[in-house]
Amino acid sequence: MKLQRMNRRALSLGALAVSGALALTACGSDDTGSSSGSSSSATAASGSIKCDDAKGQLLADGSSAQKNAIDAWVKNFTQACSGVQVNYKGSGSGAGVTAFTQGQVAFAGSDSALKPDAVAASKSVCTGGQGIDLPMVAGPIAVAFNISGVDSLTLDAATIAKIFDGKITNWNDKAIAALNAGVTLPDLKIQPYHRSDESGTTDNFTKYLIAATPDNWKYSGGKAWQAKGGQAAAGSSGVAQGVKQTNGAIGYMELSYAKDGLGTVAVNTGASAPVKPSSDGATKAVAAAQVVGTGSDLSLKLDYNTKADGAYPLTLVTYEIACDKGNKAATLPATKAFLRYIASEDGQGILSGIDYAPIPDAIISKVRTTVEGLS
């Protein structure tokens, strides 16, 4: 579908620095400009956002892992494209995929690529096409802890697995002590937190455990938590809040949620030094990923068992899921304009500053080409 290019008007966004994006929270509402019904192109903080014919309300749902990134992107995009309102709920990857395959949203976010049954279901809403995976944001999954008096903690895959499977139950366990020479570990019960909702974060976290320590993690994996015991909370924000409120707690969440006094585990991968979660470490991990999708699908295969120096193995990639063909005419211009922006150099450029990682150039260039071909 050829979009009509309208007259451009300049809009200064100098006040919209990355610090403004940092103020956004996972539960914050999206900021949108007034709906003028007109299209425009505008200069964002570090470049141009092309609005073209985009207007109206764009509904989306899915991954809570990317919610902070989406909030920052929406802030920039809707300031430039005042005729569009973007409403991303962040209900979790499972909810997002369901909403997409039921035709309730224009696009969805998922931390796991579409399964064959979801692709099949998408064909009923993507007229003449199907849902495809577009890797758009990467980020380290932090194993965050709250232990009074302990500021640094190193764990390996085996101890992480045993903690979350209830096999190691106290912080002064000898297995933990062996990895933390010089750290005074308290005689304190471990309180592990996991996701209560279906989550791509859970899927990636357990994929790591299956790959790195199969003898200690016997579960099949997936978006639903399978191990017994522990505390459950909804969304990455819920897990973070639970860990913050509980001395002795530990949980898995995206690095952007591991703030306000929470410590993050350095993972002993067998590299020359334990690796802390970071944007650079996540990018190093994703750079080794292979595109395994077919056609316009760009799903990736990650190496969760990497031992490369500086590569953080607990890394996920969030996909935006859209129809390759058969998008609804009413939302196609806004969908393409928003996805074009977040895949752009400017959109990817804000990620490191808010604890996410940009998609490596070799992959994101393919995403940009695919977005332009959506119809």
Side-chain angles (χ1 to χ4, degrees):
M1 176 179 181
K2 182 176 181 180
L3 301 181
Q4 182 181 5
R5 187 175 300 278
M6 306 293 287
N7 292 331
R8 299 184 175 184
R9 61 183 178 87
L11 177 63
S12 173
L13 294 180
L16 192 62
V18 172
S19 59
L22 285 168
L24 296 169
T25 63
C27 58
S29 60
D30 296 329
D31 288 332
T32 60
S34 59
S35 177
S36 67
S38 64
S39 51
S40 65
S41 291
T43 300
S46 58
S48 178
I49 294 177
K50 295 171 57 180
C51 303
D52 294 328
D53 291 339
K55 60 184 178 179
Q57 188 175 50
L58 190 62
L59 299 180
D61 196 3
S63 165
S64 66
Q66 71 167 355
K67 183 64 166 63
N68 290 337
I70 288 282
D71 283 346
W73 282 329
V74 167
K75 180 78 172 181
N76 286 358
F77 180 79
T78 55
Q79 287 280 355
C81 304
S82 60
V84 184
Q85 292 182 332
V86 183
N87 183 356
Y88 182 84
K89 293 173 64 176
S91 301
S93 297
V97 171
T98 297
F100 178 76
T101 57
Q102 292 179 351
Q104 299 170 0
V105 295
F107 72 91
S110 176
D111 307 321
S112 300
L114 289 171
K115 299 293 190 291
D117 59 340
V119 173
S122 73
K123 293 179 180 181
S124 65
V125 296
C126 302
T127 306
Q130 65 181 44
I132 57 171
D133 301 289
L134 301 173
M136 204 69 78
V137 56
I141 302 173
V143 181
F145 64 92
N146 175 11
I147 310 170
S148 180
V150 177
D151 297 323
S152 64
L153 185 68
T154 297
L155 299 174
D156 58 13
T159 54
I160 293 171
K162 290 175 182 177
I163 286 170
F164 281 92
D165 199 24
K167 300 296 194 300
I168 293 178
T169 59
N170 202 286
W171 280 115
N172 64 356
D173 186 280
K174 62 182 181 180
I176 300 176
L179 292 164
N180 292 275
V183 177
T184 302
L185 297 166
D187 183 5
L188 177 67
K189 182 180 178 182
I190 298 174
Q191 302 277 4
Y193 275 78
H194 60 264
R195 291 281 289 272
S196 60
D197 52 322
E198 287 201 354
S199 160
T201 311
T202 295
D203 192 15
N204 284 275
F205 179 67
T206 55
K207 280 179 179 176
Y208 161 70
L209 296 177
I210 291 168
T213 184
D215 290 342
N216 294 299
W217 196 260
K218 299 292 188 180
Y219 305 98
S220 60
K223 292 180 181 178
W225 184 255
Q226 295 172 323
K228 306 300 181 183
Q231 307 293 324
S236 294
S237 58
V239 172
Q241 189 64 25
V243 176
K244 289 175 186 177
Q245 293 176 344
T246 308
N247 186 28
I250 188 170
Y252 58 92
M253 66 199 72
E254 293 67 43
L255 182 59
S256 61
Y257 292 91
K259 296 184 179 298
D260 301 330
L262 291 182
T264 56
V265 168
V267 179
N268 185 336
T269 64
S272 61
V275 186
K276 291 270 284 185
S278 70
S279 295
D280 287 346
T283 298
K284 287 180 180 178
V286 177
Q290 296 178 323
V291 176
V292 294
T294 58
S296 54
D297 185 90
L298 296 174
S299 56
L300 304 175
K301 181 179 180 180
L302 302 176
D303 180 6
Y304 296 98
N305 202 24
T306 179
K307 293 177 175 57
D309 284 347
Y312 186 73
L314 258 169
T315 293
L316 61 76
V317 170
T318 296
Y319 301 94
E320 310 312 331
I321 296 168
C323 296
D324 57 354
K325 300 177 182 177
N327 287 277
K328 294 179 181 177
T331 55
L332 177 60
T335 299
K336 289 186 70 170
F338 184 68
L339 295 181
R340 178 189 296 122
Y341 162 60
I342 68 178
S344 72
E345 184 176 348
D346 294 336
Q348 291 289 300
I350 71 170
L351 293 176
S352 295
I354 50 175
D355 294 321
Y356 291 95
I359 301 297
D361 289 343
I363 299 172
I364 201 66
S365 63
K366 296 178 181 179
V367 173
R368 293 167 185 157
T369 300
T370 303
V371 168
E372 294 304 325
L374 298 181
S375 62

